Amino acid sequence: MDILEKKIKLEDIDILSLLGSNDSYLQMIENKFQASITARGNTLIIRGTNSEIKAIEAVVKELTYILKRNGELNTNDIATVMDLVDVDKNNSTASFEKDNVIYWGVANPIRARNPKQHEYYDKVLKNDILFSIGPAGTGKTFLAVAMALAALRRNEVSKIILSRPAVEAGESLGFLPGDLKEKIDPYLRPLTDALFYMVNAEKTKNLMEKNIIEIIPLAYMRGRTLNNSFIILDEAQNATITQMKMFLTRLGENSKAIVTGDITQIDLYNREDCGLIHANNLLHNIDGIDFVYFSDTDVVRHRLVGEIIRAYDREAEQKRNNSENKNKESSNGL
């Protein structure tokens, strides 16, 4: 296979920030490929196959964008960007899917940041109901809101409905101050936080006053038929089986629904009544319904979030093992 050489001139950026201390970022990129990369002043010299040169160009282009946007790079940025580069050795081409913007927000474009988020996005486009299941910090809710806003902007829907079960997680709803709306607002805050990040406050207020964007507790959806709508049910692990059936049967003509949840954080009194687990067991192999599963490796928040999730998972596994061993010992004793 022919070895080619390509020079990339870097302008209007801090070269040291792009290459990393002692060229550490450059070394991370080079370690992923067979190609060699040499930095001379503000020019990168790449020697390798055509497909790898194109892939490295895509990496450099995206890292330059992130650097200009954020003013700095870190190792997580480098690793995430490289994970999203696809090198087609047969066709000698490279693609960088992260260039696909889901929604242009107020300050920054909202993009899928890892392969699992791309799978999430693709499945939402192809299905009318999508279940997104996984731990905190994987972007389930944030991307769902972005996709809903994008559909509204493209006039694919005329309304966005954001909903959550108002289930108490150790706190008492009845003792919270204020009227019903003020009591419920804290439960819906993650949805409004995502919304305000992407749409300025004045426009958000205008859309809500016109009832184009509606944020409601799950219980308030009973009896409705939701046509031409993009509907998001967040924290669905706290919806009962009855509530989940009620939600899914609200779907009307030209509507799409995303159901997000984390089955490791169920706050229901009876775990056996979890509507998300029940739906996950019941609704596979139905055309138009699909599932995407995130894990701790897909966390896009602070690095420690993934470590924390893994620590809790290890503890839960240890408790299950201890319980099983005790049951075996008890059975043997009998």
Short mmCIF file of all heavy atoms in Angstrom, two decimals, residues 67-126:
data_model
loop_
_atom_site.label_atom_id
_atom_site.label_comp_id
_atom_site.label_asym_id
_atom_site.label_seq_id
_atom_site.Cartn_x
_atom_site.Cartn_y
_atom_site.Cartn_z
N LEU A 67 -10.61 23.31 20.73
CA LEU A 67 -9.65 24.22 21.34
C LEU A 67 -10.10 25.67 21.19
O LEU A 67 -10.04 26.46 22.15
CB LEU A 67 -8.27 24.02 20.73
CG LEU A 67 -7.14 24.94 21.22
CD1 LEU A 67 -6.95 24.81 22.72
CD2 LEU A 67 -5.84 24.63 20.48
N LYS A 68 -10.57 26.04 20.01
CA LYS A 68 -11.02 27.42 19.80
C LYS A 68 -12.28 27.72 20.61
O LYS A 68 -12.48 28.84 21.08
CB LYS A 68 -11.29 27.65 18.31
CG LYS A 68 -10.03 27.73 17.47
CD LYS A 68 -10.35 27.99 16.01
CE LYS A 68 -9.07 28.14 15.18
NZ LYS A 68 -9.36 28.40 13.75
N ARG A 69 -13.13 26.69 20.77
CA ARG A 69 -14.38 26.88 21.51
C ARG A 69 -14.14 26.97 23.01
O ARG A 69 -14.68 27.84 23.69
CB ARG A 69 -15.34 25.73 21.22
CG ARG A 69 -16.69 25.84 21.90
CD ARG A 69 -17.49 24.56 21.74
NE ARG A 69 -16.86 23.47 22.48
CZ ARG A 69 -17.23 22.21 22.39
NH1 ARG A 69 -18.20 21.85 21.55
NH2 ARG A 69 -16.63 21.28 23.10
N ASN A 70 -13.32 26.06 23.55
CA ASN A 70 -13.15 25.95 25.00
C ASN A 70 -11.89 26.64 25.53
O ASN A 70 -11.77 26.84 26.73
CB ASN A 70 -13.12 24.48 25.42
CG ASN A 70 -14.41 23.76 25.11
OD1 ASN A 70 -15.44 24.38 24.93
ND2 ASN A 70 -14.35 22.44 25.04
N GLY A 71 -10.95 26.93 24.63
CA GLY A 71 -9.71 27.57 25.07
C GLY A 71 -8.68 26.60 25.58
O GLY A 71 -7.56 27.00 25.93
N GLU A 72 -9.02 25.31 25.64
CA GLU A 72 -8.08 24.30 26.12
C GLU A 72 -8.56 22.92 25.70
O GLU A 72 -9.70 22.73 25.28
CB GLU A 72 -7.95 24.34 27.64
CG GLU A 72 -9.26 24.05 28.37
CD GLU A 72 -9.12 24.09 29.89
OE1 GLU A 72 -8.02 24.42 30.36
OE2 GLU A 72 -10.10 23.78 30.58
N LEU A 73 -7.64 21.95 25.79
CA LEU A 73 -7.96 20.55 25.53
C LEU A 73 -7.54 19.72 26.74
O LEU A 73 -6.69 20.15 27.53
CB LEU A 73 -7.21 20.04 24.29
CG LEU A 73 -7.59 20.61 22.93
CD1 LEU A 73 -6.61 20.14 21.87
CD2 LEU A 73 -9.01 20.21 22.56
N ASN A 74 -8.13 18.53 26.87
CA ASN A 74 -7.67 17.58 27.88
C ASN A 74 -7.63 16.18 27.26
O ASN A 74 -8.05 15.99 26.12
CB ASN A 74 -8.56 17.62 29.13
CG ASN A 74 -10.02 17.35 28.82
OD1 ASN A 74 -10.35 16.38 28.13
ND2 ASN A 74 -10.92 18.20 29.32
N THR A 75 -7.12 15.24 28.00
CA THR A 75 -6.95 13.88 27.46
C THR A 75 -8.28 13.24 27.11
O THR A 75 -8.36 12.44 26.17
CB THR A 75 -6.18 12.99 28.45
OG1 THR A 75 -6.87 13.00 29.73
CG2 THR A 75 -4.76 13.47 28.64
N ASN A 76 -9.35 13.59 27.84
CA ASN A 76 -10.67 13.05 27.51
C ASN A 76 -11.14 13.53 26.14
O ASN A 76 -11.77 12.78 25.39
CB ASN A 76 -11.71 13.45 28.57
CG ASN A 76 -11.53 12.67 29.86
OD1 ASN A 76 -10.96 11.58 29.86
ND2 ASN A 76 -12.00 13.22 30.96
N ASP A 77 -10.83 14.81 25.81
CA ASP A 77 -11.18 15.33 24.49
C ASP A 77 -10.47 14.53 23.40
O ASP A 77 -11.08 14.16 22.39
CB ASP A 77 -10.77 16.81 24.37
CG ASP A 77 -11.57 17.72 25.27
OD1 ASP A 77 -12.76 17.42 25.51
OD2 ASP A 77 -11.02 18.73 25.74
N ILE A 78 -9.19 14.27 23.60
CA ILE A 78 -8.40 13.54 22.60
C ILE A 78 -8.97 12.14 22.41
O ILE A 78 -9.19 11.70 21.28
CB ILE A 78 -6.92 13.44 23.02
CG1 ILE A 78 -6.37 14.82 23.44
CG2 ILE A 78 -6.10 12.86 21.88
CD1 ILE A 78 -6.42 15.87 22.39
N ALA A 79 -9.22 11.45 23.53
CA ALA A 79 -9.71 10.07 23.46
C ALA A 79 -11.08 10.00 22.80
O ALA A 79 -11.34 9.13 21.97
CB ALA A 79 -9.74 9.46 24.86
N THR A 80 -11.97 10.93 23.16
CA THR A 80 -13.32 10.93 22.60
C THR A 80 -13.30 11.18 21.10
O THR A 80 -13.98 10.50 20.33
CB THR A 80 -14.19 12.01 23.29
OG1 THR A 80 -14.29 11.71 24.68
CG2 THR A 80 -15.58 12.06 22.68
N VAL A 81 -12.51 12.16 20.68
CA VAL A 81 -12.43 12.47 19.26
C VAL A 81 -11.90 11.29 18.47
O VAL A 81 -12.44 10.92 17.42
CB VAL A 81 -11.55 13.72 19.04
CG1 VAL A 81 -11.20 13.88 17.57
CG2 VAL A 81 -12.26 14.97 19.54
N MET A 82 -10.87 10.65 18.96
CA MET A 82 -10.27 9.53 18.22
C MET A 82 -11.21 8.33 18.16
O MET A 82 -11.20 7.57 17.18
CB MET A 82 -8.92 9.14 18.83
CG MET A 82 -7.85 10.18 18.59
SD MET A 82 -6.20 9.60 19.00
CE MET A 82 -6.37 9.26 20.75
N ASP A 83 -12.02 8.15 19.17
CA ASP A 83 -12.97 7.03 19.18
C ASP A 83 -14.01 7.17 18.07
O ASP A 83 -14.61 6.18 17.64
CB ASP A 83 -13.68 6.93 20.53
CG ASP A 83 -12.81 6.29 21.59
OD1 ASP A 83 -11.79 5.66 21.22
OD2 ASP A 83 -13.14 6.42 22.79
N LEU A 84 -14.24 8.40 17.63
CA LEU A 84 -15.29 8.64 16.65
C LEU A 84 -14.78 8.68 15.22
O LEU A 84 -15.56 8.91 14.30
CB LEU A 84 -15.99 9.97 16.97
CG LEU A 84 -16.75 9.99 18.29
CD1 LEU A 84 -17.29 11.37 18.57
CD2 LEU A 84 -17.86 8.97 18.29
N VAL A 85 -13.50 8.44 15.02
CA VAL A 85 -12.94 8.42 13.67
C VAL A 85 -13.05 7.02 13.11
O VAL A 85 -12.66 6.04 13.73
CB VAL A 85 -11.47 8.87 13.68
CG1 VAL A 85 -10.87 8.71 12.28
CG2 VAL A 85 -11.37 10.31 14.12
N ASP A 86 -13.60 6.93 11.92
CA ASP A 86 -13.77 5.63 11.25
C ASP A 86 -12.89 5.61 10.01
O ASP A 86 -13.06 6.44 9.11
CB ASP A 86 -15.24 5.43 10.86
CG ASP A 86 -15.44 4.14 10.07
OD1 ASP A 86 -14.76 3.17 10.40
OD2 ASP A 86 -16.27 4.15 9.15
N VAL A 87 -11.95 4.67 9.95
CA VAL A 87 -11.06 4.54 8.81
C VAL A 87 -11.51 3.37 7.95
O VAL A 87 -11.55 2.23 8.42
CB VAL A 87 -9.59 4.32 9.26
CG1 VAL A 87 -8.69 4.21 8.03
CG2 VAL A 87 -9.12 5.44 10.16
N ASP A 88 -11.87 3.65 6.72
CA ASP A 88 -12.27 2.60 5.77
C ASP A 88 -11.06 2.23 4.93
O ASP A 88 -10.72 2.91 3.97
CB ASP A 88 -13.41 3.12 4.89
CG ASP A 88 -13.97 2.01 3.98
OD1 ASP A 88 -13.27 1.00 3.80
OD2 ASP A 88 -15.10 2.20 3.49
N LYS A 89 -10.40 1.13 5.31
CA LYS A 89 -9.17 0.76 4.63
C LYS A 89 -9.43 0.27 3.21
O LYS A 89 -8.56 0.34 2.35
CB LYS A 89 -8.44 -0.32 5.44
CG LYS A 89 -8.00 0.19 6.80
CD LYS A 89 -7.25 -0.88 7.59
CE LYS A 89 -6.80 -0.33 8.94
NZ LYS A 89 -6.10 -1.35 9.75
N ASN A 90 -10.62 -0.26 2.94
CA ASN A 90 -10.91 -0.77 1.60
C ASN A 90 -11.11 0.37 0.60
O ASN A 90 -10.65 0.30 -0.53
CB ASN A 90 -12.15 -1.66 1.63
CG ASN A 90 -11.92 -2.92 2.44
OD1 ASN A 90 -10.83 -3.48 2.42
ND2 ASN A 90 -12.95 -3.36 3.15
N ASN A 91 -11.81 1.41 1.05
CA ASN A 91 -12.10 2.52 0.14
C ASN A 91 -11.14 3.69 0.30
O ASN A 91 -11.28 4.70 -0.38
CB ASN A 91 -13.54 3.01 0.37
CG ASN A 91 -14.55 1.94 0.04
OD1 ASN A 91 -14.38 1.19 -0.91
ND2 ASN A 91 -15.60 1.85 0.85
N SER A 92 -10.19 3.54 1.23
CA SER A 92 -9.19 4.58 1.47
C SER A 92 -9.83 5.92 1.79
O SER A 92 -9.46 6.97 1.26
CB SER A 92 -8.26 4.72 0.26
OG SER A 92 -7.52 3.55 0.07
N THR A 93 -10.86 5.88 2.61
CA THR A 93 -11.52 7.11 3.04
C THR A 93 -11.64 7.12 4.55
O THR A 93 -11.50 6.09 5.20
CB THR A 93 -12.92 7.25 2.43
OG1 THR A 93 -13.72 6.14 2.85
CG2 THR A 93 -12.86 7.28 0.91
N ALA A 94 -11.88 8.28 5.09
CA ALA A 94 -12.10 8.39 6.53
C ALA A 94 -13.28 9.32 6.76
O ALA A 94 -13.49 10.27 6.04
CB ALA A 94 -10.85 8.95 7.22
N SER A 95 -14.08 8.99 7.75
CA SER A 95 -15.20 9.85 8.08
C SER A 95 -15.12 10.23 9.55
O SER A 95 -14.58 9.49 10.35
CB SER A 95 -16.54 9.14 7.81
OG SER A 95 -16.66 8.00 8.64
N PHE A 96 -15.69 11.39 9.88
CA PHE A 96 -15.70 11.84 11.27
C PHE A 96 -17.11 12.23 11.61
O PHE A 96 -17.57 13.32 11.32
CB PHE A 96 -14.76 13.02 11.46
CG PHE A 96 -14.57 13.37 12.90
CD1 PHE A 96 -13.95 12.49 13.76
CD2 PHE A 96 -15.04 14.56 13.40
CE1 PHE A 96 -13.79 12.80 15.09
CE2 PHE A 96 -14.88 14.88 14.73
CZ PHE A 96 -14.26 14.00 15.58
N GLU A 97 -17.84 11.27 12.22
CA GLU A 97 -19.27 11.45 12.41
C GLU A 97 -19.59 12.57 13.38
O GLU A 97 -20.68 13.11 13.37
CB GLU A 97 -19.89 10.15 12.91
CG GLU A 97 -19.82 9.05 11.88
CD GLU A 97 -20.48 7.79 12.39
OE1 GLU A 97 -20.27 7.46 13.56
OE2 GLU A 97 -21.21 7.15 11.62
N LYS A 98 -18.65 12.95 14.22
CA LYS A 98 -18.93 13.97 15.21
C LYS A 98 -19.17 15.34 14.56
O LYS A 98 -19.64 16.26 15.18
CB LYS A 98 -17.78 14.05 16.21
CG LYS A 98 -18.08 14.83 17.48
CD LYS A 98 -16.98 14.57 18.50
CE LYS A 98 -17.27 15.28 19.80
NZ LYS A 98 -16.95 16.70 19.76
N ASP A 99 -18.83 15.47 13.26
CA ASP A 99 -19.14 16.70 12.56
C ASP A 99 -20.65 16.88 12.40
O ASP A 99 -21.11 17.96 12.09
CB ASP A 99 -18.48 16.71 11.18
CG ASP A 99 -17.01 17.10 11.26
OD1 ASP A 99 -16.65 17.77 12.23
OD2 ASP A 99 -16.23 16.71 10.37
N ASN A 100 -21.43 15.81 12.55
CA ASN A 100 -22.88 15.90 12.43
C ASN A 100 -23.45 16.56 13.67
O ASN A 100 -23.42 15.99 14.75
CB ASN A 100 -23.49 14.50 12.26
CG ASN A 100 -23.05 13.85 10.97
OD1 ASN A 100 -22.82 14.53 9.99
ND2 ASN A 100 -22.93 12.54 10.98
N VAL A 101 -23.98 17.74 13.52
CA VAL A 101 -24.54 18.49 14.65
C VAL A 101 -26.00 18.09 14.83
O VAL A 101 -26.77 18.08 13.88
CB VAL A 101 -24.41 20.00 14.40
CG1 VAL A 101 -25.11 20.78 15.52
CG2 VAL A 101 -22.95 20.40 14.31
N ILE A 102 -26.38 17.76 16.06
CA ILE A 102 -27.77 17.41 16.35
C ILE A 102 -28.62 18.67 16.45
O ILE A 102 -29.72 18.74 15.89
CB ILE A 102 -27.86 16.60 17.66
CG1 ILE A 102 -27.14 15.25 17.49
CG2 ILE A 102 -29.31 16.37 18.07
CD1 ILE A 102 -27.05 14.44 18.76
N TYR A 103 -28.10 19.68 17.15
CA TYR A 103 -28.86 20.91 17.33
C TYR A 103 -27.89 22.07 17.58
O TYR A 103 -26.95 21.94 18.37
CB TYR A 103 -29.83 20.78 18.50
CG TYR A 103 -30.67 22.01 18.74
CD1 TYR A 103 -31.77 22.29 17.93
CD2 TYR A 103 -30.37 22.91 19.76
CE1 TYR A 103 -32.54 23.42 18.12
CE2 TYR A 103 -31.14 24.04 19.97
CZ TYR A 103 -32.21 24.30 19.14
OH TYR A 103 -32.97 25.42 19.33
N TRP A 104 -28.13 23.18 16.89
CA TRP A 104 -27.31 24.37 17.12
C TRP A 104 -27.91 25.16 18.28
O TRP A 104 -28.95 25.80 18.15
CB TRP A 104 -27.27 25.24 15.86
CG TRP A 104 -26.41 24.64 14.79
CD1 TRP A 104 -26.81 23.84 13.77
CD2 TRP A 104 -24.99 24.77 14.66
NE1 TRP A 104 -25.73 23.46 13.00
CE2 TRP A 104 -24.61 24.01 13.52
CE3 TRP A 104 -24.01 25.44 15.39
CZ2 TRP A 104 -23.29 23.91 13.10
CZ3 TRP A 104 -22.69 25.35 14.97
CH2 TRP A 104 -22.34 24.61 13.84
N GLY A 105 -27.26 25.06 19.43
CA GLY A 105 -27.76 25.73 20.63
C GLY A 105 -27.41 27.20 20.66
O GLY A 105 -26.85 27.75 19.70
N VAL A 106 -27.72 27.84 21.78
CA VAL A 106 -27.47 29.28 21.93
C VAL A 106 -25.99 29.59 21.82
O VAL A 106 -25.56 30.49 21.10
CB VAL A 106 -28.01 29.77 23.28
CG1 VAL A 106 -27.66 31.24 23.49
CG2 VAL A 106 -29.52 29.58 23.35
N ALA A 107 -25.17 28.82 22.53
CA ALA A 107 -23.74 29.08 22.55
C ALA A 107 -22.95 28.10 21.69
O ALA A 107 -22.04 28.50 20.96
CB ALA A 107 -23.23 29.03 24.00
N ASN A 108 -23.29 26.82 21.79
CA ASN A 108 -22.50 25.78 21.13
C ASN A 108 -23.39 24.79 20.40
O ASN A 108 -24.54 24.57 20.80
CB ASN A 108 -21.68 25.01 22.17
CG ASN A 108 -20.74 25.90 22.95
OD1 ASN A 108 -20.01 26.69 22.37
ND2 ASN A 108 -20.79 25.80 24.27
N PRO A 109 -22.87 24.18 19.35
CA PRO A 109 -23.64 23.09 18.71
C PRO A 109 -23.66 21.87 19.61
O PRO A 109 -22.68 21.57 20.30
CB PRO A 109 -22.84 22.83 17.42
CG PRO A 109 -21.47 23.29 17.72
CD PRO A 109 -21.61 24.45 18.67
N ILE A 110 -24.78 21.17 19.63
CA ILE A 110 -24.91 19.94 20.42
C ILE A 110 -24.60 18.78 19.50
O ILE A 110 -25.27 18.58 18.49
CB ILE A 110 -26.33 19.80 21.01
CG1 ILE A 110 -26.75 21.10 21.72
CG2 ILE A 110 -26.40 18.61 21.95
CD1 ILE A 110 -25.81 21.55 22.81
N ARG A 111 -23.59 17.98 19.85
CA ARG A 111 -23.13 16.87 19.03
C ARG A 111 -23.11 15.59 19.84
O ARG A 111 -22.95 15.63 21.05
CB ARG A 111 -21.71 17.13 18.51
CG ARG A 111 -21.53 18.46 17.79
CD ARG A 111 -20.04 18.74 17.62
NE ARG A 111 -19.83 20.03 16.98
CZ ARG A 111 -19.21 20.20 15.82
NH1 ARG A 111 -18.73 19.17 15.19
NH2 ARG A 111 -19.06 21.40 15.31
N ALA A 112 -23.22 14.47 19.16
CA ALA A 112 -22.96 13.18 19.80
C ALA A 112 -21.47 13.09 20.08
O ALA A 112 -20.65 13.39 19.21
CB ALA A 112 -23.41 12.04 18.90
N ARG A 113 -21.11 12.66 21.29
CA ARG A 113 -19.71 12.72 21.71
C ARG A 113 -19.02 11.37 21.75
O ARG A 113 -17.83 11.30 22.02
CB ARG A 113 -19.62 13.40 23.08
CG ARG A 113 -20.04 14.86 23.04
CD ARG A 113 -20.02 15.48 24.42
NE ARG A 113 -18.72 15.39 25.05
CZ ARG A 113 -18.47 15.78 26.29
NH1 ARG A 113 -19.45 16.27 27.03
NH2 ARG A 113 -17.26 15.66 26.79
N ASN A 114 -19.74 10.30 21.51
CA ASN A 114 -19.10 8.99 21.49
C ASN A 114 -19.96 8.04 20.63
O ASN A 114 -21.07 8.39 20.24
CB ASN A 114 -18.89 8.44 22.91
CG ASN A 114 -20.18 8.35 23.70
OD1 ASN A 114 -21.22 7.93 23.19
ND2 ASN A 114 -20.14 8.76 24.97
N PRO A 115 -19.44 6.87 20.29
CA PRO A 115 -20.19 5.96 19.40
C PRO A 115 -21.57 5.58 19.92
O PRO A 115 -22.52 5.44 19.14
CB PRO A 115 -19.27 4.74 19.31
CG PRO A 115 -17.90 5.28 19.54
CD PRO A 115 -18.07 6.37 20.55
N LYS A 116 -21.71 5.43 21.22
CA LYS A 116 -23.02 5.04 21.77
C LYS A 116 -24.03 6.18 21.59
O LYS A 116 -25.21 5.92 21.31
CB LYS A 116 -22.88 4.67 23.25
CG LYS A 116 -24.15 4.12 23.88
CD LYS A 116 -24.66 2.87 23.19
CE LYS A 116 -23.73 1.70 23.40
NZ LYS A 116 -24.32 0.44 22.85
N GLN A 117 -23.60 7.41 21.75
CA GLN A 117 -24.50 8.54 21.51
C GLN A 117 -24.90 8.62 20.04
O GLN A 117 -26.03 8.98 19.72
CB GLN A 117 -23.86 9.84 21.97
CG GLN A 117 -23.76 9.97 23.49
CD GLN A 117 -23.36 11.37 23.92
OE1 GLN A 117 -23.01 12.21 23.11
NE2 GLN A 117 -23.41 11.61 25.23
N HIS A 118 -23.98 8.26 19.15
CA HIS A 118 -24.33 8.21 17.73
C HIS A 118 -25.37 7.13 17.47
O HIS A 118 -26.30 7.34 16.68
CB HIS A 118 -23.08 7.95 16.89
CG HIS A 118 -22.34 9.19 16.54
ND1 HIS A 118 -22.76 10.06 15.56
CD2 HIS A 118 -21.20 9.72 17.05
CE1 HIS A 118 -21.92 11.07 15.49
NE2 HIS A 118 -20.96 10.89 16.38
N GLU A 119 -25.22 5.98 18.12
CA GLU A 119 -26.22 4.91 17.98
C GLU A 119 -27.58 5.40 18.48
O GLU A 119 -28.63 5.14 17.86
CB GLU A 119 -25.77 3.68 18.78
CG GLU A 119 -26.77 2.54 18.74
CD GLU A 119 -26.40 1.40 19.69
OE1 GLU A 119 -25.25 1.39 20.19
OE2 GLU A 119 -27.27 0.55 19.96
N TYR A 120 -27.57 6.11 19.60
CA TYR A 120 -28.78 6.70 20.18
C TYR A 120 -29.47 7.61 19.16
O TYR A 120 -30.67 7.46 18.87
CB TYR A 120 -28.35 7.47 21.42
CG TYR A 120 -29.41 8.12 22.26
CD1 TYR A 120 -30.75 7.77 22.20
CD2 TYR A 120 -29.03 9.12 23.17
CE1 TYR A 120 -31.69 8.37 23.01
CE2 TYR A 120 -29.96 9.72 24.00
CZ TYR A 120 -31.29 9.36 23.91
OH TYR A 120 -32.22 9.96 24.71
N TYR A 121 -28.70 8.52 18.60
CA TYR A 121 -29.23 9.47 17.62
C TYR A 121 -29.80 8.76 16.40
O TYR A 121 -30.92 9.06 15.96
CB TYR A 121 -28.11 10.43 17.22
CG TYR A 121 -28.50 11.48 16.20
CD1 TYR A 121 -29.67 12.20 16.33
CD2 TYR A 121 -27.66 11.77 15.12
CE1 TYR A 121 -30.02 13.18 15.41
CE2 TYR A 121 -28.00 12.74 14.19
CZ TYR A 121 -29.17 13.44 14.35
OH TYR A 121 -29.52 14.39 13.43
N ASP A 122 -29.07 7.80 15.86
CA ASP A 122 -29.52 7.07 14.68
C ASP A 122 -30.82 6.31 14.94
O ASP A 122 -31.73 6.29 14.11
CB ASP A 122 -28.44 6.08 14.22
CG ASP A 122 -27.24 6.78 13.61
OD1 ASP A 122 -27.39 7.95 13.20
OD2 ASP A 122 -26.16 6.17 13.55
N LYS A 123 -30.93 5.68 16.12
CA LYS A 123 -32.12 4.90 16.42
C LYS A 123 -33.34 5.79 16.65
O LYS A 123 -34.47 5.40 16.32
CB LYS A 123 -31.87 4.00 17.64
CG LYS A 123 -30.97 2.82 17.34
CD LYS A 123 -30.85 1.87 18.52
CE LYS A 123 -30.07 0.63 18.14
NZ LYS A 123 -29.96 -0.33 19.26
N VAL A 124 -33.12 6.98 17.18
CA VAL A 124 -34.25 7.91 17.34
C VAL A 124 -34.77 8.34 15.97
O VAL A 124 -35.99 8.44 15.76
CB VAL A 124 -33.82 9.15 18.17
CG1 VAL A 124 -34.89 10.24 18.10
CG2 VAL A 124 -33.58 8.76 19.62
N LEU A 125 -33.87 8.56 15.02
CA LEU A 125 -34.29 8.96 13.68
C LEU A 125 -35.10 7.86 12.99
O LEU A 125 -36.00 8.14 12.20
CB LEU A 125 -33.07 9.30 12.83
CG LEU A 125 -32.26 10.54 13.24
CD1 LEU A 125 -31.06 10.70 12.31
CD2 LEU A 125 -33.12 11.79 13.23
N LYS A 126 -34.78 6.60 13.30
CA LYS A 126 -35.37 5.47 12.58
C LYS A 126 -36.62 4.89 13.25
O LYS A 126 -37.31 4.06 12.65
CB LYS A 126 -34.33 4.36 12.42
CG LYS A 126 -33.14 4.76 11.56
CD LYS A 126 -32.07 3.68 11.58
CE LYS A 126 -30.85 4.11 10.78
NZ LYS A 126 -29.74 3.11 10.87
#
